Amino acid sequence: MAIARIGRGRNSVRLRRYNERLLLQVLRRSGEASKADLARRTHLTSTAIGGIIQSLEESELIVYTGRRTEGQRGQPATLIDLNPKGAFGIGVRLDRDSIETALLDFGGQILARRVHEGTLPSPDETLQLVLDDIEEVLKAITPDEQERLAGIGVAQPFNLGAWLRELNLVNPDFRAWDDVDFAFELGEATGLPVFSENDGNAAAIAELFYGCGREFDDFIYIFMGPVIGCGVALNGDCLRGVTGNAGDIAVMPVPPSRLASAQAPKGKWDLLLSRASLNALGRHLRHSGVEVSCHADLERHIRAHHPAVEEWVEDCIDALTPAVRSALCMLDVPVVVFDADVDAGLVDLLRKRLAQSLADTAPEARGVPELVRGSFGSDAGAIGAASLPMFFSFSPRAELLGGGAKSTEEMRDGE
């Protein structure tokens, strides 16, 4: 009997936590709402909604924003919304050529940011840099607000030392990164819960929590950065896979490029990242005799419609189309979200060309997904990393009901 009572108690706690997060999600997606609105949209009773609102108010996650007066009979309804200062997340984005640390509020706004450009240093040097940056960005909020930190998110490629040849990186030695769990080390150094994902998953989670996830629960997310990244959203959650690399479209095999700038592959097949990436675009522009040393250079040539840009776009779409079609066949999602580290018209151009190519090659009885522009552009990495503690702390993920997953903080409490 004691076991049954404990089980019921745990289930009740899980259910209440899930419903609290469900209510927060409704507010995040729709904006301010009354208690009656929330009861209708969550299918919870007015009594349950009242208890949840009281709990969320005590936690300072919601605020009262006024009263609805239009179209109402009787007493105006009190409106509730998310409190942007109700929680904060720190994001650390590590890449082969940069380190970025950002502070995000509950509303999804970046409050402070620190960036270091250049080859990623050793794990020890990086840890000290990040610790200093965290101290700096936290100055943007008060000591009381710092008590509402949900944790730290770390977004990084999980194979930093791989594919350096394809990325034209011949000098960096990232072998030390193969033997370190940076997220664990950061958690030990700060005492905060740390959530780690590859950079594609992190950016997809940002879309789920703060971007296109307000409209769509199921989509493939593609990000055109130095290396092409991808994440998969299913049923409002991020598909991770056994190693956390589900959706790793970058290493899909594709035929070799026909561009004169392309490196010859080692075998019959090339990797998608060799053809569909900003690194490939920069390589082709340099082969065409123009200087490219930063994203601003890329955008200048994109905006000027340099012939080499058009040549790369054609080659990129030629490689990207079968990769996306293969992913759609496996996942059966209705939406592809597309974003990039640079713009100057590139995002809309690639979306348009990809949609046309998918339509031209669609199998019988299969259509074309909706291609949606991503929400964050060059901020996707920083917001993606900082979204991780927010998502895992405040999203109504189904595994909460089964108790299948624990946060870093919960695992520490259980040790």
Side-chain angles (χ1 to χ4, degrees), residues 17 25 61 74 99 117 135-136 139 169 177 197 216 243 250 257 262 277 286 307 321 349 351 378 381 391 399:
R17 183 183 301 174
Q25 183 185 69
L61 292 170
I99 301 170
E117 301 287 353
E135 185 176 346
E136 284 299 315
K139 292 178 181 178
L169 298 173
W177 284 91
E197 291 285 349
F216 311 111
T243 65
S257 171
S277 65
R286 284 188 289 268
T321 299
L349 175 61
R351 282 198 306 134
S378 60
F391 180 77
E399 62 188 18

Side-chain angles (χ1 to χ4, degrees), residues 282-337:
R283 181 181 63 217
H284 191 56
L285 281 164
R286 284 188 289 268
H287 183 271
S288 302
V290 299
E291 180 182 349
V292 178
S293 60
C294 60
H295 286 172
D297 291 338
L298 285 177
E299 291 195 335
R300 185 173 68 255
H301 298 308
I302 292 165
R303 195 175 290 109
H305 304 287
H306 193 286
V309 174
E310 175 57 34
E311 292 167 358
W312 171 80
V313 167
E314 183 177 347
D315 190 72
C316 170
I317 295 300
D318 184 60
L320 190 56
T321 299
V324 173
R325 176 58 68 185
S326 297
L328 291 169
C329 289
M330 296 294 293
L331 297 169
D332 191 27
V333 295
V335 175
V336 173
V337 180

Side-chain angles (χ1 to χ4, degrees), residues 30 47 54 68 75-76 87 89 96 115 123 160 164 175 185-186 190 220 238 304 311 315 332 342 367 378 387-388:
S30 63
T47 301
Q54 181 179 350
R68 180 181 293 151
Q75 186 173 352
R96 295 173 178 88
V115 180
L160 280 164
L164 300 184
R175 283 175 294 182
E185 297 294 336
L186 186 58
T190 61
I220 296 171
C238 182
E311 292 167 358
D315 190 72
D332 191 27
V342 300
S378 60
S387 292
L388 296 179

Side-chain angles (χ1 to χ4, degrees), residues 136-367:
E136 284 299 315
V137 300
L138 282 176
K139 292 178 181 178
I141 57 177
T142 68
D144 285 345
E145 290 169 343
Q146 290 177 24
E147 295 296 319
R148 300 176 206 157
L149 273 175
I152 303 171
V154 175
Q156 66 178 85
F158 280 173
N159 305 104
L160 280 164
W163 310 301
L164 300 184
R165 172 184 170 274
E166 289 82 358
L167 296 171
N168 303 112
L169 298 173
V170 294
N171 295 321
D173 184 357
F174 296 123
R175 283 175 294 182
W177 284 91
D178 294 337
D179 302 318
V180 67
D181 184 340
F182 186 81
F184 176 81
E185 297 294 336
L186 186 58
E188 289 292 295
T190 61
L192 293 168
V194 178
F195 305 81
S196 180
E197 291 285 349
N198 74 37
D199 43 0
N201 282 350
I205 285 172
E207 287 290 351
L208 266 174
F209 201 68
Y210 286 119
C212 296
R214 293 172 176 173
E215 297 181 60
F216 311 111
D217 284 329
D218 306 280
F219 55 83
I220 296 171
Y221 174 84
I222 297 174
F223 187 80
M224 188 68 69
V227 179
I228 190 168
C230 183
V232 179
L234 291 178
N235 297 319
D237 204 349
C238 182
L239 181 66
R240 301 188 72 257
V242 174
T243 65
N245 285 307
D248 191 5
I249 198 174
V251 295
M252 275 195 174
V254 296
S257 171
R258 293 187 293 272
L259 294 178
S261 61
Q263 296 176 326
K266 293 179 180 180
K268 178 181 178 181
W269 298 96
D270 209 340
L271 298 177
L272 182 63
L273 65 89
S274 295
R275 297 179 62 182
S277 65
L278 295 184
N279 178 75
L281 172 58
R283 181 181 63 217
H284 191 56
L285 281 164
R286 284 188 289 268
H287 183 271
S288 302
V290 299
E291 180 182 349
V292 178
S293 60
C294 60
H295 286 172
D297 291 338
L298 285 177
E299 291 195 335
R300 185 173 68 255
H301 298 308
I302 292 165
R303 195 175 290 109
H305 304 287
H306 193 286
V309 174
E310 175 57 34
E311 292 167 358
W312 171 80
V313 167
E314 183 177 347
D315 190 72
C316 170
I317 295 300
D318 184 60
L320 190 56
T321 299
V324 173
R325 176 58 68 185
S326 297
L328 291 169
C329 289
M330 296 294 293
L331 297 169
D332 191 27
V333 295
V335 175
V336 173
V337 180
F338 197 97
D339 213 342
D341 239 345
V342 300
D343 198 359
L346 183 66
V347 174
D348 287 338
L349 175 61
L350 289 174
R351 282 198 306 134
K352 180 180 177 181
R353 294 286 185 88
L354 181 58
Q356 186 60 56
S357 184
L358 287 170
D360 291 343
T361 59
E364 185 178 3
R366 293 293 182 269

